[in-house]
Amino acid sequence: MRSLAMDDTDGDRDSPSASLPAGPEPEHRLTAEELAFLLRDPMLLAREAERAARSNRSRTERRAADPAYAERLRAGDRERQRRRRLRDSIGRPEPPEQPAAALPDLTLAQAAERLVDHLNRDASAQAAQLRARPDRIRLYAETFVAYRTLSADGVRPTRGALAALLKSRFGRSVTPSQVQKLRDHVEGFAAAGGPWAAAPAFRANARKGSGGKADTDSHAPRPPRP
């Protein structure tokens, strides 16, 4: 007579799982950096966090009290952003050149006059603020002239070229961020409905007759009847 223990052994032998070899256990090894982070002293982490917070507070207070220091920080941020954009652009195709905004043929005084008229009709807070800044209006008009001069070939002026012409022709010294905003404002004022929107070319709506010939007699003066 077979024992119950023998029956249990036979049952295990017949099961599919018992016939499969046991695979190796997966290994979860920590990297050196992870081990170093886990073994760090919590008190040391707290001291480093407090030191970083004090440094940030000191930098913020100095930036508020020292304009030259604040400008150096902004210049450093711009340089880091420029380097990051340069790294990101490696291997990418060159973006196509943007077309320049179409600007009407206006003198500096005419461009400023159109802008003033446009602002007088605008009831927004931004327009009211700009109306109180005649120096800003003149700067926009000077940028209009520089933009139109540089875009004679139909290509959008670069910020460097625009800043150089503002400096040489009008004695204006502008930062890269300022010239970027000036260029954007000129193009915004040149959009449809803006003060510097180019007038569309006049095209008569020619009506075609039954023979396919344009009806050019409908607007011409008729000869007097006898």
Side-chain angles (χ1 to χ4, degrees):
M1 181 175 179
R2 301 173 66 183
S3 65
L4 292 176
M6 291 296 293
D7 292 341
D8 292 340
T9 305
D10 294 341
D12 292 339
R13 189 183 298 115
D14 295 337
S15 64
S17 60
S19 62
L20 295 176
E25 291 292 331
E27 296 183 359
H28 298 285
R29 294 184 178 179
L30 297 175
T31 64
E33 291 79 7
E34 292 172 337
L35 283 173
F37 178 79
L38 292 174
L39 295 176
R40 294 179 74 183
D41 184 4
M43 295 298 294
L44 177 61
L45 294 176
R47 287 194 296 270
E48 289 181 354
E50 177 61 25
R51 186 161 53 249
R54 287 198 304 268
S55 177
N56 289 335
R57 287 195 299 268
S58 175
R59 185 165 52 249
T60 301
E61 293 172 357
R62 184 178 176 186
R63 178 162 32 194
D66 188 351
Y69 176 73
E71 180 57 32
R72 286 197 300 272
L73 289 180
R74 285 192 293 268
D77 290 339
R78 289 193 297 267
E79 179 62 20
R80 284 189 292 272
Q81 293 173 4
R82 186 191 68 81
R83 292 178 180 176
R84 184 174 63 253
R85 288 193 298 267
L86 184 61
R87 287 195 304 268
D88 294 341
S89 65
I90 294 176
R92 293 181 181 177
E94 288 292 331
E97 292 183 341
Q98 290 184 274
L103 298 178
D105 185 9
L106 301 174
T107 64
L108 177 65
Q110 290 171 338
E113 183 179 2
R114 280 201 187 186
L115 181 55
V116 169
D117 292 342
H118 175 79
L119 295 173
N120 288 335
R121 295 191 301 268
D122 192 343
S124 66
Q126 293 83 357
Q129 184 179 9
L130 188 54
R131 282 197 298 269
R133 297 284 305 277
D135 58 327
R136 179 67 58 176
I137 293 176
R138 180 172 179 83
L139 175 58
Y140 284 151
E142 291 170 352
T143 310
F144 167 92
V145 173
Y147 188 108
R148 192 173 187 279
T149 301
L150 294 171
S151 62
D153 56 355
V155 178
R156 187 189 195 199
T158 63
R159 292 179 303 174
L162 201 56
L165 188 55
L166 285 172
K167 176 65 175 177
S168 63
R169 186 165 181 177
F170 301 107
R172 297 279 189 174
S173 297
V174 291
T175 65
S177 60
Q178 289 172 338
V179 77
Q180 172 72 51
K181 293 178 181 178
L182 288 170
R183 185 176 64 176
D184 292 343
H185 277 96
V186 169
E187 293 172 347
F189 287 137
W196 297 334
F202 174 79
R203 294 180 180 178
N205 294 325
R207 291 179 298 176
K208 303 225 173 186
S210 58
K213 182 180 178 181
D215 181 11
T216 57
D217 296 332
S218 58
H219 300 288
R222 298 182 180 276
R225 295 183 178 179

